[in-house]
């Protein structure tokens, strides 16, 4: 099981999950400056998504131990990571609420 985190310095990746029917679902697009893999690096659980590069990328790889150490010794970085995770959760909640009562046409319009 992998539990490293990656700071994406340059390039772009897509983040996908697999639906119950086996289809890939686009969850996000991340670009330079974004943090990837922080969930598994924090809790040690299996990855919740797959990240695929859309072009060559550059990044800074951090082992789980390195990542957790940085969070412990630098409160500003810990706060930035927490704020990023909270922002992603808020966005996920908004999408869930927006999609719950929409018909198919409205859902497609929201995605586009």
């Amino acid at each position: 099981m992998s539990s490293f985190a990656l700071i994406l310095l340059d390039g772009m990746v897509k983040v996908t999950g697999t639906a119950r029917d086996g289809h890939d679902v686009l969850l996000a697009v991340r670009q330079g400056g974004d943090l990837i893999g922080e969930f598994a690096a924090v809790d040690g659980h299996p990855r919740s998504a797959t990240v695929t590069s859309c072009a060559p990328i550059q990044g800074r790889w951090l082992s789980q131990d390195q990542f957790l150490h940085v969070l412990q010794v630098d409160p500003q970085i810990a706060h930035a990571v927490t704020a990023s995770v909270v922002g992603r959760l808020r966005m996920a909640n908004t999408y869930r609420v927006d999609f719950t009562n929409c018909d198919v046409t409205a859902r497609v319009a929201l995605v586009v």
Side-chain angles (χ1 to χ4, degrees), residues 58-109:
Q58 291 183 332
R60 171 71 163 98
W61 185 90
L62 296 167
S63 71
Q64 183 179 29
D65 289 340
Q66 290 171 318
F67 183 70
L68 293 175
H69 177 75
V70 167
L71 295 180
Q72 290 173 348
V73 301
D74 193 324
Q76 287 182 310
I77 291 175
H79 177 74
V81 170
T82 301
S84 172
V85 170
V86 168
R88 292 177 186 179
L89 269 172
R90 286 185 185 277
M91 185 173 293
N93 287 344
T94 298
Y95 286 148
R96 189 175 316 147
V97 169
D98 287 347
F99 280 91
T100 298
N101 293 317
C102 295
D103 61 16
V104 174
T105 304
R107 288 180 186 169
V108 170

